[in-house]
């Protein structure tokens, strides 16, 4: 395993990490969840990602139960949670049960600690920006949770560069602890935020990134090119909103081109796609998702594939993708 600093912080996070969205507390059984955690940990993964919103809190409960059973030393791994959506989701949560206001962030933190059966969260994210809460309130709340020892580092997910910068300005003005990391989507098909929008923040505030959906929910495995396979994520009834975004003919076209490049290098497509995210030095960690141990074992070999992604291969990939974000002219 390779370990990278989480942005400008001193925290060393494994380049590949593991997340529980859709799978834990939902798609998979306890035995599989345990085997996935053990497989990841034994491969050197030290960051396990979670959220209040995953399976209405059941994902945190399942992970918490497993961490208790496995009894790994608490100082050997990094655990996260995120708040904003509320346990029941934005639509069904009460007004006091969602958002980045002091009440919800504080109560969601306490609830996550109980579900995960831990004394503190290493990373705590505002899962989305909140247009209804002043940024000062959010920054003060996160700072206070850190002061209380309930959280070690805080960050954002799917915030704009401007929102992240505003949080830093407030933190600087009041001598508070600002956000360390952002959790954006990043993969061969969705590149804008990581490669373009955030480009100044890596240097100005030392932004770290814990990127999600490296396989675009499975599209970058090639398994959707011949239709939706049975039991695959984008066939699930509750995932049809995402299927609409991700099952696109122009994506399938690119996947066909990428498959050829992967075949020529003796790589599987998911492994090449995950390794490609790690070639970006601004990625602190790529969060893997898997519904089976076989998938996870395959995906964990991405680090070994890095030497095969030489300049010529990266150029060939770029030609097929033809979607490199263009920064504004200076
Ligand atoms: P991916 O894009 O890698 O999708 C993972 C899914 O793809 C698996 O659950 C599996 O689904 C399928 N898959 C994975 N590997 C293979 C393989 N080798 N062969 C075939 N199919 C495969 O990542 P996720 O979307 O799961 O995101 C990873 C993590 O990022 C999440 O668990 C979560 O922690 C975080 N995240 C954060 C978000 C945020 O807003 N902050 C949003 C989304 C994710 P199946 O078998 O069911 O088809």
């Amino acid at each position: 395993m390779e370990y990278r600093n989480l942005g400008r912080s001193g925290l060393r996070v494994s380049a590949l990490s593991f997340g529980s969205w859709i799978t834990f507390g939902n798609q998979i059984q306890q035995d599989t969840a345990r085997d996935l955690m053990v497989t990841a940990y034994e491969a050197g993964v030290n960051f396990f990602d979670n959220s209040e919103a995953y399976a209405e809190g059941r994902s945190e409960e399942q992970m918490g139960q497993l961490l208790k059973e496995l009894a790994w030393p608490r100082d050997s791994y990094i655990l996260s949670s995120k708040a904003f959506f509320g346990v029941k989701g934005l639509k069904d949560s009460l007004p006091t049960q969602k958002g980045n206001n002091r009440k919800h962030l504080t109560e969601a933190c306490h609830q996550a600690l109980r579900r995960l059966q831990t004394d503190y969260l290493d990373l705590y994210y505002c899962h989305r920006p909140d247009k209804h809460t002043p940024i000062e309130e959010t920054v003060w709340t996160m700072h206070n949770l850190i002061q209380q020892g309930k959280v070690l580092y805080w960050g954002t997910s799917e915030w704009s560069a401007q929102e992240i910068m505003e949080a830093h300005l407030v933190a600087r003005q009041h001598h508070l602890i600002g956000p360390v990391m952002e959790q954006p989507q990043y993969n061969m098909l969705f590149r804008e935020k990581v490669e373009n929008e955030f480009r100044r923040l890596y240097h100005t505030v030392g932004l770290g990134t814990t990127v999600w959906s490296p396989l675009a929910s499975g599209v970058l495995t090639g398994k959707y090119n011949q239709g939706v396979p049975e039991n695959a994520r984008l066939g699930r009834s509750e995932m049809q909103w995402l299927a609409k975004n991700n099952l696109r003919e122009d994506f399938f076209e690119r996947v066909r081109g990428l498959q050829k490049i992967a075949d020529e290098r003796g790589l599987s497509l998911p492994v090449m796609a995950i390794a490609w995210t790690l070639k970006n030095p601004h990625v602190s960690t790529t969060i893997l998702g898997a519904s089976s141990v076989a998938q996870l074992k395959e995906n964990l070999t991405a680090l070994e594939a890095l030497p095969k992604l030489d300049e010529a291969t990266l150029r060939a990939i770029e030609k097929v993708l033809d979607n490199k974000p263009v920064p504004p002219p200076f």
Side-chain angles (χ1 to χ4, degrees), residues 234-279:
L234 297 178
R236 297 173 71 85
S237 57
E238 75 275 18
M239 299 309 292
Q240 288 318 293
W241 61 273
L242 186 61
K244 262 188 218 150
N245 288 342
N246 284 20
L247 298 181
R248 287 170 33 181
E249 193 44 52
D250 59 318
F251 287 176
F252 298 147
E253 185 63 42
R254 290 184 174 106
V255 167
R256 278 189 281 274
L258 293 168
Q259 184 71 65
K260 273 193 206 148
I261 298 174
D263 289 346
E264 285 162 12
R265 271 94 186 152
L267 295 171
S268 80
L269 182 51
V271 165
M272 186 174 85
I274 291 164
W276 179 90
T277 64
L278 293 176
K279 289 297 280 188

Side-chain angles (χ1 to χ4, degrees), residues 5-55:
N5 276 60
L6 184 58
R8 205 170 272 166
S9 83
L11 187 67
R12 304 279 289 170
V13 63
S14 51
L16 293 173
S17 44
F18 181 65
S20 59
W21 183 50
I22 316 280
T23 50
F24 277 50
N26 189 20
Q27 185 185 10
I28 58 173
Q29 299 302 315
Q30 184 83 347
D31 282 358
T32 308
R34 182 187 300 104
D35 292 347
L36 287 166
M37 297 277 291
V38 170
T39 302
Y41 189 75
E42 287 182 349
V45 165
N46 72 1
F47 167 34
F48 296 91
D49 187 57
N50 222 315
S51 165
E52 64 170 359
Y54 296 171

Side-chain angles (χ1 to χ4, degrees), residues 47 62 81 87 89 104 130 149 158 194 207 287 296 312 315 330:
F47 167 34
Q62 188 168 51
S81 185
V87 170
H104 182 60
D130 177 355
E158 293 293 324
V194 168
L207 185 73
I287 313 177
L296 183 60
R315 269 198 306 277
F330 289 100

Side-chain angles (χ1 to χ4, degrees), residues 18-23 27 49-50 54 82 85 125 127-128 157-158 183-185 187 210-219 221 223-224 231-234 236 242 268 270-271 274 287-292 294-296 298-299:
F18 181 65
S20 59
W21 183 50
I22 316 280
T23 50
Q27 185 185 10
D49 187 57
N50 222 315
Y54 296 171
K82 314 185 198 82
F85 290 103
Y125 297 84
H127 209 155
R128 289 294 180 270
S157 179
E158 293 293 324
Q183 188 167 130
Q185 178 170 202
N187 56 55
T210 63
V211 305
W212 58 265
S213 284
L215 299 176
S217 276
V219 174
T221 66
K223 70 182 184 181
Y224 291 97
N231 299 326
R233 175 186 293 181
L234 297 178
R236 297 173 71 85
L242 186 61
S268 80
V271 165
I274 291 164
I287 313 177
L288 303 177
S291 64
S292 71
Q295 287 177 359
L296 183 60
E298 178 181 5
N299 299 349

